[in-house]
Amino acid sequence: MMAQAPAGRSARLEDVAALAGVSLATASKALHNKPRISEETKQRVLDAARQLNYSPNKLAQSLVRGTSGLIGLVTSDLQGRFSTPILIGAENELRAQSTSVLLANARGDAALERQHVEKLLSLKVDGLLIVQRETNPRPSLGHDWGVPLVYVYGPSTDPDDCSVTCDNVDAGRMAVNHLISCGRRHIAIIGGDETYTAATDRTKGALEALAELGIEPAGPIRYGKWDEGWGRAATRLLLDQGVKFDAVVCQNDQLARGCIDVLKQQGMRIPDDVAVIGHDNWSVLTSSSRPALTSIDNETETIGRRAARYLMDAIDGNPHHGVEYTPCRLIQRESTLPLD
């Protein structure tokens, strides 16, 4: 049976010393890896600390586990509205496990990313989180680093790696199904940049949802920049070509803001005449939009937390493999109210 501290309190150094049969001073020296203690005595103290689940500070805990208690996190974009909440989610999860994070910004440069990985490994990190600023698949960094790696947001192309990202196909499906539930049947789609898998995945999900109901999208699906200017231009094309539509799926919130601007300029009421939904749930845009914009949240904090948890699992000898797609979440606001 595992040894325990007296009921009602956590283990103390005195308990470790007593179980190991050494003095307080010897127990302390062993836990802090001080010299002039035999390996046999040190191991006896570490075994006692492990049995008692004794961790007075991070150093003692890491000595017991044989790890540094440090995680390296390499991001491609510290300023990004996606990477920042991912970092927050990962740090919250790691802090809950008494693990510290060393952060490096690769600025989207593959060579700099590898340099940061090598530097963090020289600092004895137990594992690495590799965070991208978009969901496009990326090349693996390989498996010869001696510590586990988890890829975040931008999944690795190697199925033996562990990756965590958002489910953009389901997000596209979710957007259409929500508009259908609001009574809409003539749904147009304004795409973002086609070189991003976020755009093509959201289109795939939206078309699947429409096809299940035997509905075609209203008008052609066009791709362009992820900005309000393209949202305005694409909406004008729909209007100029006489496309009949009562709802628009915009593949990000900036596109939706541009779309709403043009619809309102044409005297159309939102959502009475046309319902509009965005993606990404960027609060700067959704809350200031008039009416407030319904959007789909990528759950980036959840992605960060889950990736950190999987990294800790791998450090503990239980690695995950393949890509995990985290479900997105619909946030309904006034731009998609149901028809009366």
Side-chain angles (χ1 to χ4, degrees):
M1 181 180 293
M2 181 174 286
Q4 293 182 338
R9 68 171 173 82
S10 56
R12 297 173 181 167
L13 184 60
E14 293 93 323
D15 304 317
V16 176
L19 182 60
V22 300
S23 67
L24 277 174
T26 299
S28 178
K29 287 176 182 177
L31 288 170
H32 289 81
N33 206 26
K34 298 293 185 182
R36 293 190 293 278
I37 297 177
S38 72
E39 280 301 316
E40 180 186 352
T41 300
K42 183 187 295 183
Q43 193 57 52
R44 201 161 71 242
V45 172
L46 293 176
D47 288 344
R50 188 182 298 109
Q51 287 185 54
L52 292 167
N53 196 27
Y54 172 73
S55 54
N57 55 45
K58 192 60 204 171
L59 177 58
Q61 184 186 54
S62 63
L63 285 169
V64 170
R65 293 180 63 201
T67 58
S68 69
L70 295 173
I71 291 298
L73 193 155
V74 182
T75 178
S76 63
D77 180 20
L78 273 177
Q79 303 300 317
R81 65 178 183 272
F82 305 124
S83 54
T84 300
I86 287 172
L87 305 188
I88 292 169
E91 190 175 36
N92 286 343
E93 177 68 24
L94 294 168
R95 188 169 65 242
Q97 301 194 38
S98 301
T99 298
S100 300
V101 182
L102 300 179
L103 180 64
N105 183 13
R107 301 196 294 270
D109 183 318
L112 183 58
E113 179 183 71
R114 187 166 283 270
Q115 288 174 26
H116 281 318
V117 167
E118 292 170 351
K119 176 62 177 177
L120 288 166
L121 289 174
S122 76
L123 297 172
K124 308 299 183 186
V125 296
D126 299 324
L128 291 159
L129 293 171
I130 310 296
V131 183
Q132 294 296 109
R133 59 186 164 196
E134 73 276 322
T135 58
N136 289 26
R138 50 147 303 147
S140 173
L141 288 168
H143 302 271
D144 300 325
W145 300 102
V147 300
L149 278 64
V150 173
Y151 297 83
V152 194
Y153 213 55
S156 167
T157 53
D158 187 340
D160 288 334
D161 286 330
C162 175
S163 305
V164 185
T165 188
C166 62
D167 191 341
N168 274 315
V169 174
D170 191 56
R173 192 180 294 115
M174 191 181 295
V176 165
N177 286 337
H178 172 65
L179 293 171
I180 294 292
S181 74
C182 291
R184 313 296 167 147
R185 291 297 181 271
H186 306 286
I187 300 172
I189 299 170
I190 297 177
D193 187 335
E194 199 172 9
T195 65
Y196 285 71
T197 58
T200 53
D201 282 351
R202 288 169 184 176
T203 298
K204 181 175 186 289
L207 291 176
E208 286 175 357
L210 289 170
E212 286 170 6
L213 297 167
I215 299 174
E216 292 287 332
I221 300 172
R222 298 184 178 92
Y223 295 94
K225 294 182 179 179
W226 296 104
D227 59 24
E228 292 186 33
W230 171 236
R232 288 191 290 270
T235 306
R236 288 193 198 99
L237 284 169
L238 289 169
L239 293 169
D240 290 347
Q241 293 176 355
V243 174
K244 179 184 178 182
F245 61 97
D246 58 9
V248 185
V249 174
C250 297
Q251 290 188 340
N252 80 352
D253 297 331
Q254 289 158 285
L255 295 171
R257 281 290 297 270
C259 173
I260 287 172
D261 284 348
V262 170
L263 294 175
K264 288 166 73 173
Q265 287 167 7
Q266 296 298 312
M268 304 177 84
R269 299 166 302 161
I270 300 158
D272 304 68
D273 300 321
V274 180
V276 178
I277 187 170
H279 282 264
D280 301 335
N281 196 37
W282 190 15
S283 60
V284 171
L285 294 176
T286 57
S287 59
S288 61
S289 176
R290 295 293 179 270
L293 179 64
T294 295
S295 189
I296 294 175
D297 193 295
N298 300 330
E299 292 289 88
T300 41
E301 277 199 39
T302 299
I303 290 170
R305 285 197 302 274
R306 191 163 295 176
R309 196 175 310 132
Y310 287 174
L311 184 61
M312 297 304 291
D313 287 348
I315 291 166
D316 290 337
N318 301 301
H320 300 254
H321 302 284
V323 182
E324 166 142 336
Y325 293 95
T326 301
C328 297
R329 180 167 54 101
L330 179 87
I331 310 296
Q332 181 167 2
R333 300 186 180 90
E334 289 79 11
S335 69
T336 61
L337 297 177
L339 292 169
D340 292 333

